Amino acid sequence: MLRYVIRRLLTMIPILLGVTIIIFTMMYFTPGDPARMILGDEASEETVQELREELGLTGSFFERYWDYLSGILRGDLGTSYTTRLPVTEEIAARFPVTFRIACLVCLFSICVGIPAGIISAIRQYSILDYVVTIGAMLGICMPNFWLALLLILFFSVFLGILPPSGLYGWTSYIMPVLSISAATLATITRMTRSSMLEVIRADYIRTARAKGQSERLVIVRHALKNALIPIITVIGFQFANGLSGAVVNEQIFAIPGIGKMMVDAIRARNYPLVQGGTLVIALTYSILNLIIDLIYAFVDPRIKTQYARAKKTRKHAKPAEQLPQEVA
């Protein structure tokens, strides 16, 4: 298992390197001059040129990328053009807000989506199954920013019970979580339903029922446990999508998270902030994928046995040059 974790961590290096190349290239060829946007149109060309040199915008593509990559290797993501603060401090101050929203979205979707999918599977073709299926389809098809605007109109404008923007307590998280979790909840519900339908028709489920076990025990201990692998995969990806999906919703609700930070940085041509935020989100994606793979081994003992078997096989394997001598 440790060997597998180390190998997966090493594979993150080329992935993150590719992310840095792509995002740096996009920012390099994006129209607009950050120095001119900071100083305004009335600034002289000499002043703008001095600011370009101060911000490191005068070198060639490869020179600027090498400086950026060298800073990453030193743990320096650059300095924000607007606030003149280190990008790491900007992200450290805003990322917990986005991460908290993604955790709430994932928790709400799991608590509602998995039970709904189980009930829909064990009561297939019933009215409840049709209601859950139609609701899941609407949740997937509905854009989260459109749902966010509807929630603001209903709860803030008409009812006046929730704040329309900002963070003023736990009530400020309700509408962002509901708007982002619509697609996440629908996806988890559909995956749970389809996975449970495959499992509950298996022979060992019929055997467990024939032994006289209660229906609740059969569903929870036998069916759900064996159907968790695809559900865990979907939950992990939906959690990562919650981080990226908060980009638009944080702008709508004026939440000071990493999503709103990146949108404002794109408008201001604040290249280091955009590159740093994208790199952090990509790193979070990679770490979540690794965590999902490790959870597989704890949920399904067969996967853990495969790791142990592969390790044992490598330990007792004979060198290739010794095989002909032993055969002889």
Side-chain angles (χ1 to χ4, degrees):
M1 181 69 72
L2 181 60
R3 186 188 299 270
Y4 173 77
V5 173
I6 295 175
R7 186 166 63 249
R8 286 295 302 272
L9 291 175
L10 292 177
T11 57
M12 292 184 187
I13 297 177
I15 294 175
L16 297 178
L17 181 62
V19 171
T20 60
I21 295 174
I22 293 174
I23 190 61
F24 184 87
T25 304
M26 293 177 63
M27 292 294 100
Y28 182 83
F29 290 104
T30 299
D33 187 0
R36 176 63 66 179
M37 295 186 67
I38 294 173
L39 296 177
D41 296 333
E42 298 179 356
S44 62
E45 188 62 30
E46 292 78 9
T47 306
V48 174
Q49 184 63 27
E50 291 179 0
L51 184 58
R52 289 197 190 103
E53 295 178 357
E54 180 182 351
L55 299 178
L57 300 175
T58 56
S60 63
F61 173 84
F62 295 102
E63 291 175 349
R64 290 170 57 182
Y65 176 73
W66 176 252
D67 294 338
Y68 172 65
L69 187 61
S70 301
I72 293 178
L73 296 177
R74 296 192 305 267
D76 182 15
L77 297 179
T79 304
S80 174
Y81 292 163
T82 55
T83 62
R84 300 302 177 91
L85 295 175
V87 174
T88 53
E89 294 184 6
E90 294 271 356
I91 295 176
R94 295 173 177 263
F95 185 77
V97 178
T98 303
F99 187 79
R100 192 179 303 119
I101 293 176
C103 290
L104 293 175
V105 169
C106 191
L107 181 62
F108 175 76
S109 302
I110 291 173
C111 294
V112 178
I114 291 181
I118 293 174
I119 295 174
S120 178
I122 62 179
R123 298 185 180 181
Q124 189 180 14
Y125 303 128
S126 64
I127 297 178
L128 184 59
D129 181 27
Y130 289 126
V131 170
V132 172
T133 304
I134 294 174
M137 291 296 297
L138 291 176
I140 293 176
C141 298
M142 187 182 305
N144 55 10
F145 65 89
W146 181 73
L147 179 58
L149 296 176
L150 291 182
L151 293 176
I152 292 175
L153 288 175
F154 184 73
F155 290 105
S156 299
V157 178
F158 294 153
L159 299 181
I161 59 177
L162 294 177
S165 61
L167 289 179
Y168 304 101
W170 65 270
T171 56
S172 302
Y173 289 95
I174 294 178
M175 289 193 294
V177 169
L178 290 178
S179 60
I180 299 175
S181 61
T184 303
L185 173 61
T187 305
I188 293 177
T189 301
R190 294 188 62 189
M191 179 56 66
T192 304
R193 180 182 182 274
S194 61
S195 184
M196 287 293 295
L197 285 176
E198 294 179 2
V199 171
I200 60 177
R201 296 189 179 98
D203 294 336
Y204 62 87
I205 297 296
R206 288 192 292 266
T207 303
R209 288 171 176 165
K211 290 181 178 180
Q213 296 185 0
S214 62
E215 186 66 17
R216 178 180 299 181
L217 186 62
V218 171
I219 295 299
V220 175
R221 177 175 295 182
H222 300 286
L224 180 60
K225 187 174 181 180
N226 288 276
L228 276 179
I229 295 297
I231 298 174
I232 292 174
T233 305
V234 170
I235 291 174
F237 282 109
Q238 291 304 314
F239 180 83
N241 290 334
L243 293 175
S244 58
V247 172
V248 178
N249 288 61
E250 286 180 1
Q251 189 70 18
I252 294 175
F253 293 104
I255 296 176
I258 192 173
K260 187 177 185 303
M261 178 199 72
M262 292 184 62
V263 173
D264 295 339
I266 292 172
R267 292 176 177 175
R269 301 297 188 272
N270 196 342
Y271 299 155
L273 211 55
V274 177
Q275 295 165 356
T278 306
L279 185 62
V280 169
I281 292 177
L283 178 61
T284 305
Y285 265 83
S286 301
I287 294 175
L288 284 174
N289 288 333
L290 176 60
I291 293 175
I292 291 171
D293 291 341
L294 295 179
I295 293 176
Y296 288 161
F298 293 98
V299 174
D300 193 344
R302 294 172 296 182
I303 299 178
K304 190 174 183 179
T305 303
Q306 291 178 0
Y307 288 130
R309 187 182 304 167
K311 181 179 180 181
K312 186 177 180 180
T313 303
R314 288 192 299 266
K315 182 178 180 180
H316 295 284
K318 297 291 185 180
E321 60 273 8
Q322 295 181 4
L323 292 179
Q325 298 178 3
E326 293 181 0
V327 172

